[in-house]
Amino acid sequence: MAERKNVKFSEAELDELEEGVKNKNTLKRNEAVEQQFVRQDREREFAQLSDLSYEDLNQELRHFWFGIRQKKTGEKYRASSLENIMHSLNRVLKSHGFEDMLKSSKWAKGMEHYQNAMRQLKQDGLGYVDETPEIDPVHLKQIYAHDLLDLV
């Protein structure tokens, strides 16, 4: 039986491999959300997220969840988009050394503000929406009757 050896990589090679498996769209979205959060028009400016305490961040999140708008139209996001933004922001905050928003009690106030913002979106008619159009019966019959499907 052949002896199995582990392959050794240099630190630079490992960094390159790890960078290659990261989803570039996710990284881009995380960066955009971080910029949105940091650039809020607050009376108190802060240079970096790591400069803030959990108490300060929870207060900033209150403004963020209710105030975030779409860049092009200025309209509120749908609930599903806000949920995606929350997960992106969670990744950003964890990358700055903060605890997980979904697991830590230190984020209780910030997550309460998030839940309230979600309720407000749902009351405004921006809750979860199935945007898949229904196939009308005429087209459905054409699909089933098509020779390629071999269903008839």
Side-chain angles (χ1 to χ4, degrees), residues 113-144:
H113 300 313
Y114 165 75
Q115 292 297 330
N116 290 336
M118 290 291 277
R119 281 188 206 96
Q120 182 65 47
L121 288 176
K122 290 174 185 176
Q123 288 174 1
D124 293 344
L126 297 170
Y128 295 98
V129 178
D130 182 15
E131 295 182 13
T132 308
E134 186 177 327
I135 300 174
D136 66 85
V138 174
H139 286 107
L140 196 56
K141 285 181 182 178
Q142 289 175 346
I143 291 170
Y144 283 129

Side-chain angles (χ1 to χ4, degrees), residues 17 22 34 49 58 74 79 84 90 103 112 117 125 135 152:
L17 287 170
K22 293 180 181 174
E34 181 175 7
L49 290 173
N58 278 316
N84 292 334
N90 188 32
K103 297 178 182 175
E112 181 182 333
I135 300 174
V152 181

Side-chain angles (χ1 to χ4, degrees), residues 1 13 16 20 23 30 32 40 44-45 48 53-54 62 68 75 92 127 141 145 152:
M1 184 184 231
E13 290 172 322
E16 187 178 324
N23 186 315
N30 290 352
Q40 288 185 90
R44 181 176 46 83
E45 294 293 324
Q48 299 212 356
S53 67
Y54 282 97
R62 182 178 189 202
I68 190 168
E75 294 178 5
V92 167
K141 285 181 182 178
V152 181

